[in-house]
Amino acid sequence: MASIDAVLLALDNNRPAALDRLFELLAIPSISTDAAYAPQCERAADWLAKELTGLGFDAAVHPTAGRPMVLGHAKAAHRDAPHVLFYGHYDVQPVDPLELWNTDPFKPELQEGRRIVARGASDDKGQLMTFVEACRAFRETGGLPCEITVLFEGEEESGSPSLPAFVAANRDALKADLALVCDTGMWDAETPSITTMLRGLVGEEVVVKAADRDLHSGMFGGAAANPIHVLARILADLHDGEGRVALAGFYDGVEELPADVAEQWRALPFDEAEFLHGVGLSVPAGERGRSVLEKVWSRPTAEVNGITGGYGGPGFKTVLPAQASAKVSFRLVGRQDPAKVRAAFQSFVRERLPADCTAEFLPHGASPALQLPFSSEALTRARRALHAEWGKEPVMAGSGGSIPIVGTFKQDLKMDAMMIGFALDDDRVHSPNEKYELTSFHKGARSWARVLDALAK
Amino acid sequence: MASIDAVLLALDNNRPAALDRLFELLAIPSISTDAAYAPQCERAADWLAKELTGLGFDAAVHPTAGRPMVLGHAKAAHRDAPHVLFYGHYDVQPVDPLELWNTDPFKPELQEGRRIVARGASDDKGQLMTFVEACRAFRETGGLPCEITVLFEGEEESGSPSLPAFVAANRDALKADLALVCDTGMWDAETPSITTMLRGLVGEEVVVKAADRDLHSGMFGGAAANPIHVLARILADLHDGEGRVALAGFYDGVEELPADVAEQWRALPFDEAEFLHGVGLSVPAGERGRSVLEKVWSRPTAEVNGITGGYGGPGFKTVLPAQASAKVSFRLVGRQDPAKVRAAFQSFVRERLPADCTAEFLPHGASPALQLPFSSEALTRARRALHAEWGKEPVMAGSGGSIPIVGTFKQDLKMDAMMIGFALDDDRVHSPNEKYELTSFHKGARSWARVLDALAK
């Protein structure tokens, strides 16, 4: 196997051809949500399978009830190499409003010698091709450092309806030591990022009931229990004065960040005011003594997402309602147990019910947090590899919401995921004039080469 | 003017004829809500005007946009007599479901020698005729002890749409020292009752706003203000640990009951458990240390009648909503000022708004409590008069809700009202087989004779 320097040199030498290949893929209008473009999705899948085959992968297009999957597999140059599963998606968002595009979204252009402009340039064709180009460079210089399975999906932009069943039906083919996902962004144009944490979610609806019918507040007001009051008091208790969630045992399994990550986050040039200003706010709410980044990346939360009780129409009605309900969600981190959190919430509610009131609960999904351990050897190696490429320590990022594919990999294949991507905040993903920086494309490929090399050592 | 004994004797002697007259009125199907019965309403109005004219009243039928009013006036036998306005209504509820009636609702019957059965027997034809018969007895024995204006309405069962304008247009004709209303009930078959208190009402809607759009709780949850939490905390604070309303100055103008009334209420055989059991409850909520009767008759309240925020549809949505709102009503007693209560609530909300949250308020009506002062000489006399007739102290009742006609008299004519009626809880008002006890009819007429006599002394 060649040295990483030889691989990087090959990548640099291949740049014009790599861009031509990306443009070929970008020219295929593989919009997944519109059935009229189904043949174009098949074309894109075929194109990718052919690419992989050309790189020595055992690759094929697999039909689904929707758009096809591309699945490829290649052995490493050496035995005992680690096995990784790489995920990307070849489908793209629709292009309307078309009149806001300055160029044809499916006639890719390199603008000002530095921006690749086309639908899918950043999300996700440009990104997945960084990995393909890294594989090519290894092939040209002696072989792959890792055993690699590649999964390219064609329905990510329309909710991945076929994915869970496909994963369940192809466990043996997909199972690897670690999943690599290239569908996220950099911290900024100079700073790479690895997303290692995705918060989990418990959804629960609570219905508080009192009288067996709606009452007239003139006749009963002041003497009969009002479920809206009861519910309001319970929800008001849900957070303590410090903004912490007051459920018993809620923070079991929640760990503080490692010192180096905490220090990194503190040092990040993140403008909390600007983040909030974008949605009309100015002061962070929530847990006292935590930064906004901590709050949305690494801290668990309780949020009421909906509340309903009594009369909600126009005007007024002096009703004392028989019931009131709330939909509450808990974002989980670390090793918080969704079932325990749900049970703790139910106890919390029941302990606060006054006489004559009952509570009913409706579950609305539960998923644990996903976290690639900070102590993971793969993470340490990837951090070092990205640092070598970018000259800066990569940001250990979290994601406040879930990314379904990562949950599927974890739940069905018991496989952790490391998310590394090179998109920038200004890439206009899902919008007109989507672009991908040429540096993202070139240094992204070099990054993957370094990561694969590092994982194999 | 004859002695009250002569008047009561005349009433007793007139009983068969009085019942015949009531049956004539009950036989007229004066259903106000159904336009098909409009001619019958006119017949009832004509019949009443003719009755009053026969008793020496200057009486006439006054058309309105809906059913006509009957207005009559008669001077007292002596100068310097007090002037009272008597109110009743001649319209009745519809009779369906007709198949549940055991007799024709408009063929009045005396059943078992003691129950007058017909639509309107109790609500309100039987009741208003108690007053008319008392007037007749005075006429036959020397003249009226009070100057009397009579107002019979024909739209009470359909919301009194014409009443406010009619009162406003006839202020001089209607203004008197005191209004007497006969449309309420007895405490029980042996115990008379005077309703002297009607709670007032302030309705207010509050909308708490935070971000300028709905947010994704994965992206912002834990860092952005959630208006549902803010609203829940504010509403949870609305009552203190003793169930008292926590607004500043809320109890200004709220007085404790006079000792004799408080003692009377304590002694009343009112089964709180049974009252609550009827609607599926068992334990009184609300202000600690107060009886249920106090709570619904004489204590002010704050009740949330509706709450809405975020996602309320089926399933779940992890939204962090831009706003949440509640409809809150305050029942007022004594001299509580509706404007001050509204302002106190608005301040209460504003003081509790965290950074970035605003509140908007929408008013939904305001009416002060109505209370005939316990110290009123007229009330003292009426209590004595009813005691003389029934051998028991009348219950000083309150009403948790409002009675619009009394508010109109107070607001437009600056006139207090005393509500005395002889209906019983089992009269099946608004239901099939409505009835009025013969004792209610006879002793009701005797009661009015004693009350009018007492007011004039």
Side-chain angles (χ1 to χ4, degrees), chain A residues 14-30 43-44 47-48 51 89-92 105-111 114-134 136 152 182 422 427 434-445:
Chain A
N14 279 341
R15 283 184 175 195
L19 196 59
D20 288 346
R21 283 188 286 271
L22 174 57
F23 276 29
E24 272 188 44
L25 180 58
L26 289 172
I28 305 171
S30 49
R43 263 184 68 206
W47 188 94
L48 282 165
E51 274 295 299
H89 65 91
Y90 66 79
D91 64 318
V92 299
F106 297 109
K107 284 196 179 148
E109 275 188 22
L110 184 69
Q111 293 182 355
R114 59 185 182 88
R115 279 192 311 275
I116 303 160
V117 178
R119 170 56 87 224
S122 176
D123 182 19
D124 184 44
K125 289 172 173 172
Q127 303 240 65
L128 71 83
M129 286 302 286
T130 58
F131 189 85
V132 172
E133 293 301 334
R136 182 186 319 276
F152 293 137
C182 191
F422 310 97
D427 276 356
E434 179 178 348
K435 60 93 177 165
Y436 197 47
E437 296 292 324
L438 194 59
T439 51
S440 290
F441 185 53
H442 285 153
K443 286 175 77 66

Side-chain angles (χ1 to χ4, degrees), chain B residues 4 7-8 11-12 15 130-131 133-135 138 180 182 186 190-194 381-392 394 418 420-422 436 439-455:
Chain B
I4 183 66
V7 177
L8 296 175
L11 274 170
D12 291 347
R15 285 185 173 194
T130 59
F131 190 85
E133 293 301 334
C135 291
F138 279 112
L180 301 173
C182 192
M186 311 244 298
E190 285 85 40
T191 318
S193 172
I194 306 177
R381 292 179 182 206
R383 290 169 75 168
R384 207 181 301 137
L386 289 177
H387 189 284
E389 176 61 26
W390 298 87
K392 291 179 86 168
M418 186 153 66
I420 301 175
F422 310 97
Y436 198 47
T439 52
S440 289
F441 184 52
H442 284 153
K443 287 176 75 65
R446 288 171 57 98
S447 296
W448 281 122
R450 289 185 191 271
V451 169
L452 289 172
D453 179 65
L455 291 177

